[in-house]
């Protein structure tokens, strides 16, 4: 009679499939056949995924509180129907999607090896979608022309062979990079596993560089809003810190087994990425307040007008592309999983 697994029983790294193990994490693994209810209950048990779940799940509520501050500002209260706030709502959707998908992936990935793969495919996809949401907010609220109204159109930094780079190529470039990043990160679950953390970290430096192009220009041209630079520098600091934790695997690298449950690098990675998002939100809120306060018609800020198509339409299109990529990888993973199951059954029969 087969032994029944106890839901609270945790395993060592030698007792679970190699694809489940993490570098320098020796214990605290859940059995890879948890039920939905067991996964929910594991959020309140000391496993090596508990901290990963809570660091991004609690972040949802912290971000919501910080965002709600805008509703208590007289000149910049967000409205669902005002086109000016369309980019902001898309940015918020991207952040909530990232935080929820990340926390749910860490909570439910032990339901099966196939579910684990799909969970993290979705996780990578929402990160890419978040970068597009950030790009939309940057484009409409931190547009380079805001830095030098009336003179920006003649600046060679803003044109590419006569074509306005930020007006024509910026958003398509951000979307293309998001799709490439999703493909690359999903691929690391099948190949290049030895270097997967390095690849995933540096792959997402590309969308950061592309998305931040308007900010780089604003810093070069001299931002009119004095809060832009300090919040952006803090945003960069936290991103750099998160990259260091993700690649170096500090502190568990120096003491394997000691940080299996609390304090390992992925939890610090989550904390640092969320701190970068908070400073990014503060930066965007500062720009919204500044733009809302500009009441002088002589300023003539040549900002692009947001539309449903140019904001929600762009985000929906990117989500469809990312969803297609995730589905393709999920189908392939399902096929591999079925083949392995058949091989195991044939070996048992023989």
């Amino acid at each position: 009679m087969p032994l029944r697994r106890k839901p609270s029983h945790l395993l060592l790294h030698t007792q679970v499939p190699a694809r489940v193990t993490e570098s320098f994490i020796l214990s605290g693994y859940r059995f890879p056949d948890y039920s939905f209810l067991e996964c929910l209950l594991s959020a309140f048990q000391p496993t090596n995924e508990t901290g990963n779940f809570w660091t991004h799940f609690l972040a949802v509520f912290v971000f919501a509180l910080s965002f709600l501050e805008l509703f208590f500002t007289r000149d910049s209260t967000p409205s669902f129907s005002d086109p000016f706030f369309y980019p902001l709502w898309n940015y918020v959707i991207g952040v909530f999607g990232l935080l929820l998908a990340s926390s749910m992936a860490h909570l439910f990935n032990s339901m099966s090896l196939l579910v684990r793969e799909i969970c993290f495919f979705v996780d990578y996809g929402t990160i890419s979608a978040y970068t597009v949401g950030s790009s939309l907010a940057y484009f409409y609220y931190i547009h380079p022309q805001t830095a030098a109204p009336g003179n920006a159109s003649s600046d060679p930094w803003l044109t590419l062979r006569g074509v306005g780079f930020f007006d024509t190529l910026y958003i398509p470039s951000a979307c293309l990079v998001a799709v490439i990043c999703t493909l690359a990160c999903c691929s690391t679950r099948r190949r290049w596993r030895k270097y997967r953390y390095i690849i995933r970290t540096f792959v997402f430096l590309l969308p950061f560089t592309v998305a931040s192009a308007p900010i780089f220009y604003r810093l070069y041209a001299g931002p009119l809003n004095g809060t832009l630079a300090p919040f952006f520098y803090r945003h960069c600091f936290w991103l750099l810190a998160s990259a260091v934790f993700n690649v170096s695997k500090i502190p568990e690298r120096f003491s394997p087994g000691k940080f299996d449950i609390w304090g390992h690098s992925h939890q610090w990675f989550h904390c640092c990425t969320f701190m970068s998002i908070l400073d990014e939100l503060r930066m965007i809120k500062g720009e919204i307040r500044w733009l809302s306060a500009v009441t002088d018609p002589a300023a003539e800020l040549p900002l692009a007008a947001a539309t449903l198509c140019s904001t929600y339409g762009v985000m929906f299109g990117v989500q469809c592309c990312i969803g297609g990529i995730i589905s393709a990888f999920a189908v392939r993973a399902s096929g591999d999983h079925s083949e392995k199951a058949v091989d195991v059954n044939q070996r048992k029969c023989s």
Side-chain angles (χ1 to χ4, degrees), residues 138-150:
Y138 291 177
F139 179 74
Y140 287 102
Y141 303 135
I142 316 178
H143 195 286
Q145 292 180 340
T146 307

Side-chain angles (χ1 to χ4, degrees), residues 21-302:
T21 61
E22 299 291 341
S23 302
F24 311 109
I25 302 298
L26 307 184
S27 64
Y29 290 96
R30 296 173 295 176
F31 203 88
D33 68 344
Y34 268 39
S35 67
F36 181 83
L37 180 59
E38 286 176 332
C39 287
L40 285 177
L41 293 176
S42 70
F44 305 97
Q45 299 169 353
T47 76
N48 58 27
E49 289 282 24
T50 304
N52 295 337
F53 165 73
W54 286 108
T55 47
H56 266 179
F57 186 69
L58 292 178
V60 172
F61 302 97
V62 177
F63 179 84
L65 287 174
S66 183
F67 170 69
L68 288 174
E69 290 178 356
L70 275 175
F71 286 87
F72 301 99
T73 303
R74 183 181 60 183
D75 297 327
S76 58
T77 301
S79 168
F80 286 106
S81 59
D82 188 348
F84 177 77
F85 292 106
Y86 288 172
L88 177 65
W89 290 117
N90 278 268
Y91 169 73
V92 170
I93 290 172
V95 173
F96 278 130
L98 181 156
L99 296 175
L100 287 172
S102 173
S103 55
M104 294 302 108
H106 286 290
L107 184 62
F108 293 109
N109 68 66
S110 65
M111 292 183 69
S112 72
L113 293 178
L114 176 59
V115 170
R116 179 183 178 85
E117 295 298 297
I118 295 174
C119 280
F120 288 111
F121 291 155
V122 174
D123 187 20
Y124 306 145
T126 55
I127 295 173
S128 296
Y130 152 74
T131 65
V132 174
S134 295
S135 299
L136 289 170
Y138 291 177
F139 179 74
Y140 287 102
Y141 303 135
I142 316 178
H143 195 286
Q145 292 180 340
T146 307
N151 299 319
S153 59
S154 61
D155 194 317
W157 281 58
L158 303 184
T159 59
L160 183 63
R161 295 184 178 180
V163 178
F165 170 75
F166 287 100
D167 289 334
T168 309
L169 301 177
Y170 173 67
I171 294 298
S173 298
C175 295
L176 177 62
V177 168
V179 170
I180 293 173
C181 288
T182 306
L183 280 168
C185 287
C186 289
S187 296
T188 61
R189 302 200 68 82
R190 299 181 57 86
R191 61 186 72 177
W192 315 311
R193 287 189 57 79
K194 184 178 180 180
Y195 306 102
R196 62 189 184 275
Y197 298 115
I198 297 176
I199 293 173
R200 292 170 194 169
T201 300
F202 283 97
V203 157
F204 281 112
L205 286 178
L206 181 59
F208 164 76
T209 303
V210 173
S212 299
I215 303 176
F216 293 143
Y217 183 87
R218 285 285 301 276
L219 295 176
Y220 156 78
L224 296 177
N225 182 5
T227 63
L228 178 67
F231 283 135
F232 179 67
Y233 292 146
R234 284 164 51 175
H235 172 67
C236 293
F237 168 79
W238 290 117
L239 283 179
L240 177 61
S242 68
V244 170
F245 279 117
N246 199 38
V247 173
S248 68
K249 296 303 167 186
I250 295 173
E252 65 267 21
R253 174 182 290 273
F254 299 122
S255 186
K258 187 175 182 179
F259 300 96
D260 289 353
I261 306 301
W262 302 109
H264 58 74
S265 60
H266 202 80
Q267 294 170 11
W268 291 112
F269 167 73
H270 275 195
C271 292
C272 290
T273 53
F274 178 61
M275 291 301 295
S276 75
I277 290 174
L278 271 185
D279 280 322
E280 180 183 50
L281 175 62
R282 292 172 182 134
M283 176 178 65
I284 292 171
K285 289 195 301 185
E287 290 298 303
I288 289 176
R289 291 188 179 109
W290 177 75
L291 291 172
S292 299
V294 175
T295 57
D296 183 7
E300 295 181 354
L301 297 179

